[in-house]
Amino acid sequence: RLAQPYLEEKYRAYRAWGQDKVMPEGDDFDHEFNELLEDRFLLGSPAEVADQLNRLNTRLGVNHLVASIHWPGMPNSLALERGRHGITVACVSPLSTSPALTRAYEKNPGLQARLTHHIPLGRVGDPEHDIGPVVSFLIGPDAGYLTGQTLVVDGGRFTTL
């Protein structure tokens, strides 16, 4: 529950920005912390997260997962800690298509138009063509001096919040 104050602040900001308006009908951020966690985050020790993944697999038949691992302040703290050893640390915050997003579009026909309306580039990113090259850059030699950063790869969506 170490992430609770950070996640609560994140969802307060999302509510203030009106982020709920692009979510599927009936879904919003006006819930207690534990309700917001349900089906949105996998939090805990590696063993606890593995157990949660097993439950998702049983419940939904999930056999592929795209995940973002993040701890509040992680890029900064790890960059400070590991930098002296020549290790760089960066995070990617993507907005891209996924099977889950496709299902959300199917359940809520107006969602895609509402979401892309708020993206300056006018589309949701492609994991292979838009996000992959950024990740390739980060793991390659040209990113050797980049550390402690989160790269937001979202077609400009974050700038409109």
Side-chain angles (χ1 to χ4, degrees):
R1 301 289 172 208
L2 295 173
Q4 183 171 350
Y6 303 98
L7 291 172
E8 286 176 329
E9 183 59 32
K10 173 182 175 176
Y11 282 98
R12 270 193 293 278
Y14 283 174
R15 265 193 305 277
W17 296 335
Q19 186 71 20
D20 313 56
K21 294 179 178 93
V22 297
M23 295 177 65
E25 189 174 324
D27 201 359
D28 59 50
F29 298 128
D30 195 24
H31 301 282
E32 294 296 319
F33 179 72
N34 287 332
E35 290 178 72
L36 288 173
L37 290 181
E38 193 173 316
D39 292 333
R40 282 191 170 92
F41 298 99
L42 303 175
L43 297 174
S45 70
E48 291 167 330
V49 170
D51 185 50
Q52 293 170 58
L53 287 169
N54 285 332
R55 285 195 306 265
L56 282 174
N57 176 268
T58 300
R59 191 173 102 214
L60 303 173
V62 173
N63 59 10
H64 287 81
L65 178 69
V66 176
S68 172
I69 299 172
H70 180 74
W71 292 266
M74 180 188 68
N76 297 339
S77 63
L78 284 178
L80 291 170
E81 177 187 319
R82 308 275 169 85
R84 65 177 167 253
H85 303 291
I87 299 170
T88 61
V89 178
C91 290
V92 175
S93 178
L95 173 59
S96 67
T97 58
S98 70
L101 186 57
T102 300
R103 284 191 302 277
Y105 288 162
E106 291 166 357
K107 290 179 182 178
N108 187 341
L111 177 62
Q112 185 171 9
R114 288 194 313 274
L115 179 60
T116 56
H117 172 76
H118 295 285
I119 301 171
L121 292 182
R123 63 183 178 80
V124 173
D126 177 82
E128 184 177 343
H129 297 105
D130 297 316
I131 310 306
V134 174
V135 173
S136 292
F137 163 73
L138 287 174
I139 63 173
D142 292 334
Y145 197 63
L146 190 150
T147 195
Q149 302 300 313
T150 297
L151 300 182
V152 180
V153 187
D154 67 353
R157 172 66 178 114
F158 186 77
T159 62
T160 66
L161 295 177

